[in-house]
Amino acid sequence: MSTWDQLRAELDLWQSEERIATMWWRDDDAVAVTSALETLLAFEQDHGVPLALAVIPADLEHDLVLRLAETLDTRVLQHGWSHTNHMPAGRKKQELDDVRDIGAVVTDIRRGFDVLSSQFGNRFLPVMVPPWNRIADDVMRALPSLGLRGISTFNARSDACPVPGLLMVNTHVDVIDWRGTRGFAGEDQCINAMISHLSARRNGVVDDAEATGLLTHHLVHDDATTRFLENLFSFEHAALKWLRIPGVFPWQ
C-alpha cells in the first residue's frame, strides 16, 4: 500500500466516525514577491487551500503588500522582527530569546507588529510565528500585552492556551529536511507525518481540536517539493478540510 493509500485509509476512519480531519497551511520567511512565492499563491488560488504567510517585518518590501492585496484568502502572521539569531555558540538559534534583556526583545516585537498592522490592515492576524519555532517563556508570556493573540510553532501542542489570552496552533508536517540535505524531506516522510498527527488526534493521544499543520518555506523549495505540494493540494477526500486562516485562529 502506498503512503497515499495509507493517508486515504486514515481519512476513511475519520469519515467512518463522522468526523472532519482539519488541516491548515503556514509558509515562513516571506519578505518580497518571488517566483517561488507566486507558485504558492497559484496553488492557493487553483486548489482553494488558504495560506498563512509568516512575514519578516524588518525586511518587508512593498511589492509583497501590493501583491497580497490581490489575493482572496492569504493572511499574514508575524515572523519575529528580523529573523536574527541572538544565541551564543553552542545553543540552538533563537531570536525571541532569553539572552538579551526582555525589554529589547519586546521592542523588536512591537516594531514588527506596528509594521505589519500598518501595511496589511485586517489581512494581518496578530499571531506570532517565532523564528526557528523557538521562544523564551518570558517572551511568550509578554505577547498578549503587545496585542498578539496567537502563536504557532512546531509539533503537537500540549496546551491550547499556554498563557492566558494566547491561542496556540502549531504545524506538524515540515516538507524540508533541515537536519540532512536541506532539500525536500521526501513524499513518504511528509505523508507519514500527516498520518501520524491525524491518527494521534483521532485516538485522543494529542489535542484533537488542533488542526494538522503543513509547514513550507518557499525560498528553499526544489522541484520535488513543488511536485509534492501539487499532489497534496490535488488530493481529495470527503473527511479532509483545509481551513481558512481566520478559522484556525478564532480567538475562542
Side-chain angles (χ1 to χ4, degrees):
M1 180 184 291
S2 73
T3 48
W4 291 103
D5 289 336
Q6 293 172 42
L7 175 58
R8 189 171 296 281
E10 172 61 30
L11 292 169
D12 285 345
L13 293 173
W14 281 75
Q15 187 174 23
S16 70
E17 297 175 13
E18 299 183 344
R19 300 170 65 186
I20 297 296
T22 50
M23 292 195 63
W24 75 292
W25 177 22
R26 190 188 102 204
D27 182 87
D28 289 1
D29 299 345
V31 295
V33 178
T34 63
S35 59
L37 179 62
E38 288 290 0
T39 297
L40 297 198
L41 294 177
F43 283 155
E44 178 181 51
Q45 177 176 328
D46 295 345
H47 298 288
V49 179
L51 171 62
L53 204 58
V55 174
I56 304 171
D59 298 327
L60 174 63
E61 297 185 15
H62 193 56
D63 66 344
L64 183 63
V65 179
L66 298 177
R67 179 65 182 89
L68 296 190
E70 301 172 352
T71 66
L72 177 62
D73 279 323
T74 314
R75 293 295 183 271
V76 170
L77 313 181
Q78 182 174 348
H79 202 27
W81 163 241
S82 61
H83 212 300
T84 300
N85 176 36
H86 296 287
M87 304 303 281
R91 291 189 61 183
K92 292 182 177 180
K93 293 179 179 179
Q94 192 166 325
E95 180 177 46
L96 307 181
D97 59 282
D98 57 4
V99 174
R100 296 177 294 160
D101 180 85
I102 191 170
V105 183
V106 164
T107 295
D108 282 351
I109 294 173
R110 185 176 286 115
R111 291 165 69 192
F113 186 96
D114 290 346
V115 167
L116 298 181
S117 58
S118 64
Q119 292 296 311
F120 292 103
N122 60 12
R123 191 172 292 274
F124 168 58
L125 297 184
V127 175
M128 175 58 72
V129 177
W132 298 286
N133 290 302
R134 302 185 188 108
I135 183 170
D137 290 343
D138 285 350
V139 178
M140 183 161 61
R141 283 191 287 269
L143 294 182
S145 68
L146 302 174
L148 288 149
R149 303 180 65 187
I151 185 169
S152 181
T153 61
F154 190 79
N155 285 323
R157 68 189 182 193
S158 57
D159 192 338
C161 294
V163 300
L166 194 70
L167 174 64
M168 174 175 277
V169 186
N170 290 339
T171 54
H172 314 88
V173 182
D174 193 338
V175 301
I176 303 299
D177 177 19
W178 296 108
R179 297 181 180 179
T181 65
R182 300 184 71 83
F184 180 44
E187 182 175 272
D188 287 351
Q189 180 171 323
C190 291
I191 298 175
N192 282 331
M194 288 176 57
I195 294 170
S196 177
H197 189 250
L198 288 170
S199 175
R201 288 173 61 192
R202 182 174 52 80
N203 289 297
V205 176
V206 299
D207 186 348
D208 67 344
E210 182 182 27
T212 301
L214 171 70
L215 176 59
T216 62
H217 284 77
H218 65 279
L219 293 175
V220 298
H221 289 181
D222 54 19
D223 290 343
T225 312
T226 301
R227 285 195 299 272
F228 170 73
L229 293 175
E230 173 72 44
N231 291 333
L232 177 61
F233 295 145
S234 300
F235 181 89
E236 295 182 352
H237 193 285
L240 175 65
K241 180 180 180 180
W242 290 92
L243 297 177
R244 296 184 67 246
I245 308 309
V248 177
F249 295 96
W251 320 124
Q252 295 178 359

Short mmCIF file of all heavy atoms in Angstrom, two decimals, residues 192-227:
data_model
loop_
_atom_site.label_atom_id
_atom_site.label_comp_id
_atom_site.label_asym_id
_atom_site.label_seq_id
_atom_site.Cartn_x
_atom_site.Cartn_y
_atom_site.Cartn_z
N ASN A 192 3.66 10.40 6.01
CA ASN A 192 3.65 9.69 7.28
C ASN A 192 3.50 10.64 8.47
O ASN A 192 2.84 10.30 9.47
CB ASN A 192 4.91 8.84 7.43
CG ASN A 192 4.87 7.55 6.62
OD1 ASN A 192 3.79 7.00 6.39
ND2 ASN A 192 6.02 7.08 6.17
N ALA A 193 4.10 11.82 8.37
CA ALA A 193 3.94 12.82 9.44
C ALA A 193 2.49 13.28 9.53
O ALA A 193 1.96 13.47 10.63
CB ALA A 193 4.87 14.00 9.19
N MET A 194 1.85 13.44 8.37
CA MET A 194 0.43 13.79 8.36
C MET A 194 -0.40 12.70 9.02
O MET A 194 -1.23 12.96 9.89
CB MET A 194 -0.05 14.00 6.93
CG MET A 194 0.44 15.26 6.26
SD MET A 194 -0.11 15.35 4.54
CE MET A 194 -1.88 15.25 4.73
N ILE A 195 -0.17 11.46 8.59
CA ILE A 195 -0.93 10.33 9.13
C ILE A 195 -0.72 10.22 10.63
O ILE A 195 -1.66 9.99 11.39
CB ILE A 195 -0.52 9.03 8.43
CG1 ILE A 195 -0.92 9.07 6.95
CG2 ILE A 195 -1.16 7.82 9.12
CD1 ILE A 195 -0.35 7.91 6.12
N SER A 196 0.53 10.40 11.08
CA SER A 196 0.84 10.27 12.50
C SER A 196 0.05 11.26 13.34
O SER A 196 -0.54 10.88 14.36
CB SER A 196 2.35 10.48 12.71
OG SER A 196 2.68 10.43 14.08
N HIS A 197 0.02 12.54 12.92
CA HIS A 197 -0.71 13.52 13.72
C HIS A 197 -2.22 13.30 13.61
O HIS A 197 -2.93 13.41 14.62
CB HIS A 197 -0.35 14.94 13.30
CG HIS A 197 -0.90 15.97 14.23
ND1 HIS A 197 -1.92 16.84 13.88
CD2 HIS A 197 -0.60 16.26 15.53
CE1 HIS A 197 -2.20 17.61 14.92
NE2 HIS A 197 -1.43 17.30 15.91
N LEU A 198 -2.70 12.98 12.42
CA LEU A 198 -4.13 12.73 12.26
C LEU A 198 -4.58 11.54 13.11
O LEU A 198 -5.61 11.59 13.77
CB LEU A 198 -4.47 12.49 10.79
CG LEU A 198 -4.41 13.71 9.87
CD1 LEU A 198 -4.51 13.29 8.41
CD2 LEU A 198 -5.52 14.70 10.21
N SER A 199 -3.78 10.49 13.11
CA SER A 199 -4.13 9.31 13.90
C SER A 199 -4.09 9.61 15.39
O SER A 199 -4.97 9.18 16.15
CB SER A 199 -3.15 8.17 13.57
OG SER A 199 -3.39 7.05 14.39
N ALA A 200 -3.07 10.38 15.81
CA ALA A 200 -2.97 10.74 17.23
C ALA A 200 -4.15 11.59 17.66
O ALA A 200 -4.67 11.44 18.77
CB ALA A 200 -1.65 11.46 17.48
N ARG A 201 -4.60 12.48 16.79
CA ARG A 201 -5.79 13.27 17.09
C ARG A 201 -7.02 12.38 17.21
O ARG A 201 -7.80 12.50 18.16
CB ARG A 201 -6.03 14.32 16.00
CG ARG A 201 -5.05 15.47 15.97
CD ARG A 201 -5.28 16.35 14.75
NE ARG A 201 -6.62 16.94 14.74
CZ ARG A 201 -7.16 17.55 13.67
NH1 ARG A 201 -6.50 17.61 12.53
NH2 ARG A 201 -8.36 18.07 13.76
N ARG A 202 -7.18 11.51 16.23
CA ARG A 202 -8.38 10.67 16.19
C ARG A 202 -8.47 9.76 17.41
O ARG A 202 -9.56 9.49 17.93
CB ARG A 202 -8.37 9.84 14.90
CG ARG A 202 -9.58 8.95 14.69
CD ARG A 202 -9.55 8.26 13.32
NE ARG A 202 -8.31 7.58 13.07
CZ ARG A 202 -7.98 6.39 13.55
NH1 ARG A 202 -8.85 5.73 14.32
NH2 ARG A 202 -6.82 5.83 13.26
N ASN A 203 -7.31 9.33 17.91
CA ASN A 203 -7.28 8.40 19.03
C ASN A 203 -7.13 9.10 20.38
O ASN A 203 -7.00 8.44 21.42
CB ASN A 203 -6.14 7.40 18.84
CG ASN A 203 -6.44 6.41 17.72
OD1 ASN A 203 -7.39 5.64 17.80
ND2 ASN A 203 -5.63 6.44 16.67
N GLY A 204 -7.14 10.43 20.39
CA GLY A 204 -7.07 11.16 21.64
C GLY A 204 -5.71 11.20 22.29
O GLY A 204 -5.59 11.53 23.48
N VAL A 205 -4.66 10.88 21.54
CA VAL A 205 -3.30 10.91 22.08
C VAL A 205 -2.81 12.35 22.20
O VAL A 205 -2.04 12.68 23.11
CB VAL A 205 -2.35 10.08 21.19
CG1 VAL A 205 -0.92 10.17 21.69
CG2 VAL A 205 -2.82 8.62 21.12
N VAL A 206 -3.23 13.19 21.26
CA VAL A 206 -2.93 14.62 21.30
C VAL A 206 -4.25 15.37 21.20
O VAL A 206 -5.32 14.78 21.00
CB VAL A 206 -1.98 15.04 20.15
CG1 VAL A 206 -0.64 14.31 20.25
CG2 VAL A 206 -2.63 14.80 18.78
N ASP A 207 -4.18 16.67 21.34
CA ASP A 207 -5.37 17.53 21.29
C ASP A 207 -6.05 17.39 19.93
O ASP A 207 -5.51 17.83 18.91
CB ASP A 207 -4.95 18.98 21.54
CG ASP A 207 -6.14 19.93 21.66
OD1 ASP A 207 -7.27 19.53 21.32
OD2 ASP A 207 -5.92 21.08 22.07
N ASP A 208 -7.23 16.78 19.90
CA ASP A 208 -7.89 16.56 18.62
C ASP A 208 -8.47 17.83 18.02
O ASP A 208 -8.85 17.85 16.86
CB ASP A 208 -8.99 15.49 18.76
CG ASP A 208 -10.15 15.94 19.63
OD1 ASP A 208 -10.00 16.93 20.37
OD2 ASP A 208 -11.21 15.28 19.58
N ALA A 209 -8.52 18.92 18.80
CA ALA A 209 -9.03 20.18 18.28
C ALA A 209 -7.97 20.98 17.53
O ALA A 209 -8.30 21.98 16.88
CB ALA A 209 -9.60 21.03 19.42
N GLU A 210 -6.70 20.56 17.64
CA GLU A 210 -5.64 21.29 16.94
C GLU A 210 -5.55 20.79 15.50
O GLU A 210 -5.21 19.64 15.24
CB GLU A 210 -4.29 21.10 17.62
CG GLU A 210 -3.19 21.91 16.93
CD GLU A 210 -1.81 21.72 17.56
OE1 GLU A 210 -1.56 20.66 18.17
OE2 GLU A 210 -0.99 22.64 17.44
N ALA A 211 -5.85 21.67 14.54
CA ALA A 211 -5.76 21.30 13.14
C ALA A 211 -4.34 20.88 12.78
O ALA A 211 -3.36 21.44 13.28
CB ALA A 211 -6.19 22.47 12.26
N THR A 212 -4.22 19.87 11.93
CA THR A 212 -2.90 19.40 11.49
C THR A 212 -2.28 20.44 10.55
O THR A 212 -2.89 20.83 9.56
CB THR A 212 -3.04 18.04 10.78
OG1 THR A 212 -3.62 17.09 11.70
CG2 THR A 212 -1.69 17.53 10.30
N GLY A 213 -1.07 20.88 10.88
CA GLY A 213 -0.47 21.99 10.16
C GLY A 213 0.64 21.57 9.21
O GLY A 213 1.54 20.81 9.58
N LEU A 214 0.56 22.07 7.98
CA LEU A 214 1.60 21.89 6.97
C LEU A 214 2.53 23.09 7.01
O LEU A 214 2.07 24.24 6.99
CB LEU A 214 0.96 21.78 5.58
CG LEU A 214 1.93 21.79 4.39
CD1 LEU A 214 2.73 20.49 4.34
CD2 LEU A 214 1.17 22.01 3.08
N LEU A 215 3.85 22.84 7.08
CA LEU A 215 4.84 23.92 7.12
C LEU A 215 5.70 23.88 5.87
O LEU A 215 6.32 22.86 5.57
CB LEU A 215 5.72 23.77 8.38
CG LEU A 215 6.86 24.77 8.52
CD1 LEU A 215 6.35 26.21 8.54
CD2 LEU A 215 7.68 24.46 9.77
N THR A 216 5.75 25.01 5.17
CA THR A 216 6.60 25.14 3.99
C THR A 216 7.50 26.36 4.13
O THR A 216 7.26 27.24 4.95
CB THR A 216 5.77 25.25 2.69
OG1 THR A 216 4.95 26.43 2.74
CG2 THR A 216 4.87 24.02 2.51
N HIS A 217 8.55 26.39 3.31
CA HIS A 217 9.49 27.53 3.25
C HIS A 217 9.79 27.78 1.77
O HIS A 217 10.72 27.20 1.21
CB HIS A 217 10.79 27.21 4.00
CG HIS A 217 10.68 27.26 5.49
ND1 HIS A 217 10.10 26.26 6.23
CD2 HIS A 217 11.07 28.21 6.38
CE1 HIS A 217 10.16 26.57 7.52
NE2 HIS A 217 10.74 27.76 7.64
N HIS A 218 8.99 28.64 1.14
CA HIS A 218 9.01 28.75 -0.31
C HIS A 218 10.38 29.08 -0.89
O HIS A 218 10.71 28.68 -2.00
CB HIS A 218 7.99 29.79 -0.78
CG HIS A 218 8.27 31.19 -0.35
ND1 HIS A 218 7.95 31.65 0.90
CD2 HIS A 218 8.85 32.24 -1.00
CE1 HIS A 218 8.29 32.93 1.01
NE2 HIS A 218 8.86 33.31 -0.12
N LEU A 219 11.22 29.80 -0.13
CA LEU A 219 12.51 30.24 -0.66
C LEU A 219 13.50 29.10 -0.86
O LEU A 219 14.50 29.27 -1.58
CB LEU A 219 13.13 31.30 0.26
CG LEU A 219 12.37 32.63 0.31
CD1 LEU A 219 12.99 33.56 1.34
CD2 LEU A 219 12.36 33.30 -1.06
N VAL A 220 13.25 27.93 -0.25
CA VAL A 220 14.19 26.81 -0.41
C VAL A 220 13.54 25.61 -1.10
O VAL A 220 14.14 24.53 -1.14
CB VAL A 220 14.78 26.38 0.95
CG1 VAL A 220 15.58 27.52 1.57
CG2 VAL A 220 13.70 25.92 1.91
N HIS A 221 12.36 25.78 -1.68
CA HIS A 221 11.71 24.66 -2.34
C HIS A 221 12.44 24.28 -3.62
O HIS A 221 12.85 25.15 -4.40
CB HIS A 221 10.25 25.00 -2.68
CG HIS A 221 9.36 25.08 -1.49
ND1 HIS A 221 8.02 25.35 -1.59
CD2 HIS A 221 9.62 24.92 -0.16
CE1 HIS A 221 7.49 25.37 -0.37
NE2 HIS A 221 8.44 25.10 0.51
N ASP A 222 12.57 22.97 -3.84
CA ASP A 222 13.10 22.48 -5.12
C ASP A 222 11.94 21.88 -5.93
O ASP A 222 10.78 21.93 -5.50
CB ASP A 222 14.21 21.45 -4.89
CG ASP A 222 13.78 20.30 -3.97
OD1 ASP A 222 12.56 20.09 -3.80
OD2 ASP A 222 14.68 19.61 -3.44
N ASP A 223 12.26 21.33 -7.08
CA ASP A 223 11.21 20.80 -7.96
C ASP A 223 10.44 19.67 -7.28
O ASP A 223 9.21 19.56 -7.45
CB ASP A 223 11.81 20.30 -9.27
CG ASP A 223 12.31 21.43 -10.16
OD1 ASP A 223 11.92 22.60 -9.92
OD2 ASP A 223 13.10 21.16 -11.09
N ALA A 224 11.13 18.84 -6.52
CA ALA A 224 10.45 17.72 -5.85
C ALA A 224 9.46 18.21 -4.81
O ALA A 224 8.36 17.66 -4.66
CB ALA A 224 11.49 16.80 -5.21
N THR A 225 9.83 19.28 -4.09
CA THR A 225 8.93 19.87 -3.10
C THR A 225 7.68 20.40 -3.79
O THR A 225 6.55 20.18 -3.32
CB THR A 225 9.62 21.01 -2.34
OG1 THR A 225 10.90 20.58 -1.89
CG2 THR A 225 8.78 21.45 -1.15
N THR A 226 7.88 21.10 -4.89
CA THR A 226 6.75 21.69 -5.61
C THR A 226 5.82 20.61 -6.15
O THR A 226 4.59 20.73 -6.07
CB THR A 226 7.26 22.58 -6.76
OG1 THR A 226 8.10 23.60 -6.21
CG2 THR A 226 6.11 23.22 -7.51
N ARG A 227 6.39 19.53 -6.68
CA ARG A 227 5.56 18.42 -7.18
C ARG A 227 4.75 17.80 -6.05
O ARG A 227 3.56 17.47 -6.22
CB ARG A 227 6.44 17.35 -7.85
CG ARG A 227 6.95 17.74 -9.22
CD ARG A 227 7.50 16.52 -9.95
NE ARG A 227 8.62 15.90 -9.25
CZ ARG A 227 9.88 16.25 -9.39
NH1 ARG A 227 10.21 17.25 -10.21
NH2 ARG A 227 10.83 15.62 -8.72
#
